[in-house]
Amino acid sequence: MMKTDEFMGYRVKQVHSQQFNSNVMMLAFAQPARKHATSARALLSYLMAVSSTTYPNQQVVSKELMELYGASYSVKVLAYGDMNLILFSVTFVKEECLKNLGLAGQKVLTRVFEFLRSMAFGLDFKALEENPALLSIEKQNLIQAILSRQDDKVAQALDESRVRLFEDEALQESILGDVSEIEAVGIPELEEAYTEMLNSDERLLFTHGAIQEDEVRAALRSWPMKDSSELPPRFAKVPRLKAKNSEKIKVAGFQQAVTIMNYQLPVKKDDIAATLVLNALFGAGPSSLLFTEVREKESLAYNISSRLQVDLNLITVLAECQPEQAERIKALVEEQLAKIQEKSVGLERFSQAKQAVLSDRIRLEDHAQGQVVEGLLKMLAEESISSSDLLKAVEEISLDAVSTLAKKMIEKASLVLAGQRDEQKEEEEGR
């Protein structure tokens, strides 16, 4: 059963379930993306994962989680539409499970609410001033995460593609921030970003498990309120994309190529089922056209797939291949899309695509964390579809509907990130 509410400046959604032995609670702070704001927010997420006034270091945090019967806790940043989020997540045992083990009266839920309140609202800037090593360590951890993406050619290609895709410069930035900006961030900048997060961001709370509405309300009454709690809720918007463009980038020391093709596809609530099936038929999975026709039959790509991002109205095709095969792969991708548009796919393949979507949705029902993330992000969408309605819509979707939707796909930014092997070949051909 789903319960949605707005209380004390929070948008609250609850799923009451006895399916698992653990509860999951996620708290998000969301704001529209702004240029040069991501670095400080990403660093805040690293700091709030390891310390607060009540729990001054990682060791004390870990000790509290162990005393909460092995609870897990994390903080991360992510993007949804034109919004950037700082997301806190806690997974912890249900008290009824402890009761069955003879451990009644442990008040785990109360302690979890107190822990989350401290970690989200109790960042200790005085301690950071007195112990600059803590700030330095988390800066280095964040910078290392960014640098590791630069060592990953697929991640690097996606980052480069984002710059060529979005009109808004804020959305061109990595959600993890920029190395030089992170190095320059000091405590005053962190305090400013933290104050803004607490006073201006949208606050969303999602719970899954055996947590009652009155328990949530009681906890939130003791949590700090934001200054702008009376403002109407903000929802994520679909970002504007640049005009169609195509580019090749050469990277030293990289012998392969990564090919990315972005397709804009306006998705309304009633189109979500057809869009999921379209993506499954196109490139999401081993029975898809891209996998069977490009990778298996033609053997042109080491890996190829398509990814649907409903919040961006985007389907992104990504292929890893030899540099000289990049243009051929792009042509084959267009051929596979044309097959869907013209309904030149067998009914058996279409049925496989529908079944793949249904199977993914059923697997999600066995994954509490995935359900909570999806549910929380839906709170930022002005319109969404319930899981049960989505399953029914997928079962009923026709090839005609998928074909009609495929005809609306518009190619936007395409990019080939290729290595020196490609450059050497061009030099030889020019002789």
Side-chain angles (χ1 to χ4, degrees), residues 158-217:
L158 289 170
D159 289 344
E160 293 286 353
S161 177
R162 185 173 58 245
V163 172
R164 290 152 181 82
L165 183 62
F166 296 113
E167 282 191 359
D168 189 342
E169 291 183 358
L171 298 175
Q172 297 173 14
E173 297 180 344
S174 167
I175 193 67
L176 294 177
D178 175 80
V179 171
S180 61
E181 288 183 0
I182 292 165
E183 291 174 338
V185 168
I187 290 178
E189 292 79 14
L190 280 174
E191 282 193 282
E192 182 180 353
Y194 188 58
T195 300
E196 180 183 49
M197 182 194 91
L198 296 183
N199 290 330
S200 301
D201 280 24
E202 295 291 306
R203 298 183 184 181
L204 304 97
L205 181 67
F206 197 109
T207 71
H208 183 286
I211 304 174
Q212 301 304 315
E213 180 182 350
D214 59 344
E215 294 171 320
V216 172
R217 287 175 174 266

Side-chain angles (χ1 to χ4, degrees), residues 127-401:
L128 291 178
E129 290 176 346
E130 296 173 349
N131 182 17
L134 176 58
L135 178 57
S136 178
I137 288 170
E138 295 311 320
K139 276 190 176 185
Q140 290 305 310
N141 287 339
L142 177 54
I143 288 170
Q144 187 55 48
I146 295 171
L147 295 178
S148 67
R149 284 186 64 83
Q150 296 176 3
D151 292 334
D152 182 338
K153 293 302 184 289
V154 170
Q156 186 178 345
L158 289 170
D159 289 344
E160 293 286 353
S161 177
R162 185 173 58 245
V163 172
R164 290 152 181 82
L165 183 62
F166 296 113
E167 282 191 359
D168 189 342
E169 291 183 358
L171 298 175
Q172 297 173 14
E173 297 180 344
S174 167
I175 193 67
L176 294 177
D178 175 80
V179 171
S180 61
E181 288 183 0
I182 292 165
E183 291 174 338
V185 168
I187 290 178
E189 292 79 14
L190 280 174
E191 282 193 282
E192 182 180 353
Y194 188 58
T195 300
E196 180 183 49
M197 182 194 91
L198 296 183
N199 290 330
S200 301
D201 280 24
E202 295 291 306
R203 298 183 184 181
L204 304 97
L205 181 67
F206 197 109
T207 71
H208 183 286
I211 304 174
Q212 301 304 315
E213 180 182 350
D214 59 344
E215 294 171 320
V216 172
R217 287 175 174 266
L220 293 184
R221 286 191 182 96
S222 69
W223 286 22
M225 292 186 64
K226 63 178 181 178
D227 291 345
S228 54
S229 59
E230 299 302 318
L231 294 177
R234 288 177 293 186
F235 295 95
K237 297 179 180 178
V238 176
R240 292 177 61 88
L241 305 184
K242 291 182 178 180
K244 180 179 177 179
N245 63 85
S246 180
E247 190 172 348
K248 179 181 288 185
I249 301 176
K250 296 172 184 177
V251 182
F254 180 42
Q255 298 303 310
Q256 297 177 6
V258 179
T259 301
I260 294 177
M261 302 174 69
N262 291 294
Y263 292 90
Q264 188 175 36
L265 178 63
V267 180
K268 301 298 183 181
K269 176 182 176 181
D270 294 338
D271 297 325
I272 292 177
T275 306
L276 288 169
V277 176
L278 167 59
N279 186 50
L281 186 59
F282 190 33
S287 62
S288 67
L289 287 167
L290 293 184
F291 189 89
T292 57
E293 299 298 316
V294 181
R295 184 181 185 275
E296 291 192 332
K297 185 178 294 185
E298 299 289 341
S299 298
L300 293 178
Y302 306 115
N303 294 293
I304 186 167
S305 63
S306 66
R307 176 191 178 196
L308 170 64
Q309 294 170 275
V310 174
D311 58 310
L312 302 177
N313 279 358
L314 204 65
I315 289 180
T316 299
V317 174
L318 188 148
E320 297 175 74
C321 59
Q322 289 298 325
E324 62 270 20
Q325 302 294 354
E327 293 304 318
R328 173 61 178 151
I329 285 175
K330 290 171 69 174
L332 283 174
V333 169
E334 288 293 319
E335 288 181 18
Q336 307 320 308
L337 178 57
K339 288 180 182 178
I340 301 174
Q341 294 170 337
E342 297 163 4
K343 295 185 286 186
S344 299
V345 294
L347 290 179
E348 181 179 355
R349 187 186 290 273
F350 179 68
S351 297
Q352 288 175 340
K354 289 176 64 172
Q355 188 57 52
V357 174
L358 293 170
S359 297
D360 285 343
R361 299 303 307 177
I362 292 170
R363 279 194 293 270
L364 183 64
E365 295 299 316
D366 291 326
H367 190 258
Q369 284 275 343
Q371 290 183 51
V372 176
V373 171
E374 180 181 83
L376 186 141
L377 293 178
K378 280 184 177 180
M379 295 168 72
L380 285 172
E382 289 197 72
E383 58 176 23
S384 61
I385 184 171
S386 69
S387 295
S388 58
D389 287 345
L390 181 57
L391 285 171
K392 182 179 179 182
V394 170
E395 289 173 346
E396 296 176 351
I397 207 70
S398 67
L399 180 56
D400 284 340

Side-chain angles (χ1 to χ4, degrees), residues 37-50:
T38 53
S39 296
R41 286 173 68 86
L43 186 53
L44 282 176
S45 75
Y46 272 62
L47 290 166
M48 291 185 291
V50 298

Side-chain angles (χ1 to χ4, degrees), residues 30-79:
Q31 66 169 231
R34 291 182 295 107
K35 191 175 180 181
H36 303 309
T38 53
S39 296
R41 286 173 68 86
L43 186 53
L44 282 176
S45 75
Y46 272 62
L47 290 166
M48 291 185 291
V50 298
S51 68
S52 70
T53 52
T54 307
Y55 308 98
N57 56 56
Q58 179 72 71
Q59 290 73 30
V60 180
V61 170
S62 297
K63 182 175 182 293
E64 176 65 11
L65 293 173
M66 288 302 298
E67 291 182 358
L68 289 170
Y69 300 94
S72 63
Y73 166 70
S74 65
V75 189
K76 66 179 182 179
V77 288
L78 72 160

